Amino acid sequence: MDFGTFLVQCLNSVQYGLLLFLVASGLTLIFGIMGVINLAHGSFYMIGAYMAFSLAPLFGDQFLLMLVAGVVLAAVFGYLLEWAFFSYLYQRDHLQQVLMTYGLILVFEELRSILVGNDVHGVKVPAWLDGSFALGSVMSYPWYRLFASAACIVLAVGLYWVVNRTRLGMMIRAGASNRDMVRGLGIDVKRLYRIVFAAGVALAALAGMIAAPMSSVYPNMGASVLIICFVLVVIGGIGSITGALVASLLVGFVDTFGKVFFADLSGIGIYLLMAIVLIWKPEGLMGRRP
């Protein structure tokens, strides 16, 4: 492998890992902090991709404005979804959580089939991000992939700042540690969890919207992403945003270079990584010991 190809694969690994982080960070908030096993989280990624497909003709080349509109719609949808369904799951056992969230997957897939059909769709890259730049004398790299990586980095920094440097983040962390104590201090835990859930849905949908121009928009596209995201949460440590970021980058490199060097075995690479991490640190890279 020459240096140009190696550099392109490194950029692809970082871009893929950062995109996974957007989805996994939402799952970390919902699963790690709120304690709900949400099998429907991959469906939020799919909804985001289909929102990009549906909103693109309305916004034209105003791609950033479309992303903002999609995030707002996804956050409102998540807020209402938590109020209607997930708010009843916090005191239920994991089996009931699994059954209800799996039922939501079936509902979302059926609604998707009714509204947009079962065809595979594409989303056009905005004109101002079309094209590529040179990497050496032979290789080039698309501007849109660089934009996707930069957007994910900005969002990762923003999420870290909110969780670790703001009053809302302090309440989120406190609610994850001891919700009864937080409730005793006069904080509306139900409203707090509703906000957290809406943020998790918005992050997953945003990841789907960013990914849509780079890949096809197709039925059941959230299933594979959901499995990888649970792997990321386990590798990084349940409830750790930083752990989710580190795990996402590791998985991005393992998966991308695994497909280059070990194409026949690339499917087991991330699971082998998870096994190694859990043998070394059973609580995950950034997880706390029980």
Side-chain angles (χ1 to χ4, degrees), residues 168-191:
L168 175 61
M170 180 180 65
M171 290 189 293
I172 291 173
R173 287 181 281 116
S177 300
N178 193 327
R179 72 179 68 177
D180 292 329
M181 180 63 72
V182 171
R183 188 180 294 111
L185 293 173
I187 296 174
D188 189 347
V189 176
K190 289 184 178 181
R191 181 172 175 271

Side-chain angles (χ1 to χ4, degrees), residues 26-41 44 82 85-102 104 179 193 196-197 226 230 233 238:
L27 185 61
T28 297
L29 291 173
I30 296 172
F31 175 46
I33 294 178
M34 299 169 63
V36 175
I37 300 178
N38 180 22
L39 296 185
H41 194 74
F44 304 145
E82 196 279 344
F85 295 101
F86 284 84
S87 60
Y88 299 98
L89 291 179
Y90 301 134
Q91 305 302 325
R92 305 289 182 89
D93 58 42
H94 289 329
L95 177 59
Q96 295 184 54
Q97 295 174 2
V98 167
L99 290 175
M100 199 205 77
T101 54
Y102 180 73
L104 286 176
R179 72 179 68 177
Y193 277 16
V196 170
F197 188 87
L226 174 68
F230 272 109
V233 171
I238 295 176

Side-chain angles (χ1 to χ4, degrees), residues 60-93:
D61 213 35
Q62 301 297 320
F63 187 71
L64 294 179
L65 189 60
M66 183 192 74
L67 291 181
V68 172
V71 168
V72 172
L73 290 173
V76 172
F77 173 70
Y79 194 91
L80 296 175
L81 192 66
E82 196 279 344
W83 169 76
F85 295 101
F86 284 84
S87 60
Y88 299 98
L89 291 179
Y90 301 134
Q91 305 302 325
R92 305 289 182 89
D93 58 42

Side-chain angles (χ1 to χ4, degrees), residues 140-153:
S140 62
Y141 196 75
W143 282 110
Y144 184 80
R145 286 185 175 270
L146 193 64
F147 162 80
S149 298
C152 292
I153 290 173

